[in-house]
Amino acid sequence: MATDELASKLSRRLQVEEHNGEAVAAAAAEQEPEPAAEPALDSGAGGELSAKLQRRSELNQGGDPAQLSPGSAHKVFSPYTEFREFSRRQIKDMEQLFRQYDAGKDGFIDLMELKRMMEKLGAPQTHLGLKNMIKEVDEDFDGKLSFREFLLIFRKAAAGELEEDSGLHALARLSEIDVSTEGVKGAKSFFEAKVQAINVTSRFEEEIKAEQEEKKRQAEEMKQRKAAFKELQSAFKQ
């Protein structure tokens, strides 16, 4: 009798302890914080923004919008290879003019800088006129002129594509840069174009050679001056 009662008590106690253990485990599970969900990458908006920023960077460096695609590699803009209708001297003169009016030194001529430029050239423009000038060559629609877009003005002027009463025509005419030489596009026939292309290449190579010769000459003069100075020094020491 006593043995049966003791066994019954032990059985009930085991059941109570098992029940309490399950309750504690459930409570702990409720209190345990769920792992924070990782923020989902916005592949739509984020990817699009990244692509736009990269494209903007490419365009600012002078990339051709027709040849650039988001995320793709491209050749570095070289005015001497893309604008072969102009000599190295002409391009350097254009670059000097561009830098002269790029007051912010950010590689662009904005509307206010273009306004000052046209005033200095003696052909002031209205606000609308300035906006139209930029719009005509603004390939990336950022409302300002990169150096490549600046060169497009002179390309259009050389090809006769600018209206004579337009602000861009006045800019090209008053800038004192001779762009009257037409490029290959102005040739009358395929054979003339080929000959003209060869002439442009030859002229380009000759200009590079002349620059190299000039640098050699200056280096030689510097060398001679140093030698003469050393001789003078040694004479005084004696």
Side-chain angles (χ1 to χ4, degrees):
M1 183 73 177
T3 303
D4 292 340
E5 185 178 353
L6 179 60
S8 177
K9 287 182 178 180
L10 288 173
S11 177
R12 284 199 302 272
R13 185 168 181 176
L14 286 172
Q15 290 177 358
V16 170
E17 288 179 355
E18 288 178 359
H19 176 72
N20 290 341
E22 291 177 356
V24 170
E30 289 179 359
Q31 293 177 0
E32 183 178 354
E34 295 183 1
E38 295 184 1
L41 292 176
D42 187 355
S43 58
E48 183 179 357
L49 177 59
S50 176
K52 284 183 177 180
L53 289 174
Q54 182 172 350
R55 180 173 174 80
R56 175 67 175 274
S57 176
E58 290 172 345
L59 289 169
N60 288 346
Q61 293 178 20
D64 188 345
Q67 298 177 358
L68 296 179
S69 58
S72 63
H74 65 282
K75 294 181 179 179
V76 177
F77 166 61
S78 171
Y80 302 112
T81 56
E82 185 171 348
F83 293 83
R84 288 184 176 274
E85 63 266 43
F86 301 130
S87 67
R88 289 174 64 86
R89 172 48 54 194
Q90 287 173 324
I91 290 177
K92 286 184 177 181
D93 288 344
M94 294 174 199
E95 183 179 8
Q96 183 178 359
L97 181 66
F98 181 87
R99 292 179 181 276
Q100 180 182 346
Y101 291 99
D102 176 19
K105 306 303 178 187
D106 57 355
F108 296 94
I109 291 180
D110 60 25
L111 190 136
M112 291 305 298
E113 290 167 341
L114 181 60
K115 178 178 182 291
R116 286 191 289 271
M117 179 180 186
M118 297 307 294
E119 289 173 350
K120 287 283 188 180
L121 292 175
Q125 303 289 311
T126 63
H127 184 80
L128 181 60
L130 293 166
K131 291 181 70 174
N132 287 335
M133 287 175 66
I134 293 175
K135 184 179 179 181
E136 190 163 349
V137 291
D138 187 14
E139 293 188 333
D140 57 356
F141 308 107
D142 61 353
K144 51 189 177 182
L145 300 176
S146 65
F147 180 51
R148 183 181 182 279
E149 291 166 342
F150 188 71
L151 291 177
L152 289 177
I153 297 173
F154 296 94
R155 169 175 282 177
K156 286 176 175 285
E161 297 176 1
L162 298 176
E163 297 291 336
E164 290 190 5
D165 59 347
S166 69
L168 292 184
H169 186 273
L171 188 158
R173 178 173 54 84
L174 296 171
S175 62
E176 297 183 355
I177 298 173
D178 182 13
V179 294
S180 59
T181 304
E182 293 186 3
V184 173
K185 291 182 180 179
K188 295 180 180 178
S189 68
F190 173 78
F191 295 105
E192 289 180 359
K194 292 291 286 184
V195 170
Q196 200 164 5
I198 293 172
N199 290 338
V200 168
T201 303
S202 299
R203 183 182 63 188
F204 185 77
E205 291 174 351
E206 288 175 1
E207 288 177 345
I208 292 178
K209 186 176 179 181
E211 288 181 1
Q212 292 174 343
E213 291 295 332
E214 178 64 19
K215 288 179 180 178
K216 286 181 181 179
R217 185 186 64 79
Q218 292 176 355
E220 185 62 28
E221 288 180 356
M222 179 65 71
K223 184 178 179 181
Q224 291 176 0
R225 283 198 295 270
K226 285 183 178 180
F229 181 74
K230 285 182 178 179
E231 288 181 9
L232 188 62
Q233 271 187 325
S234 62
F236 273 111
K237 288 178 180 179
Q238 293 174 1

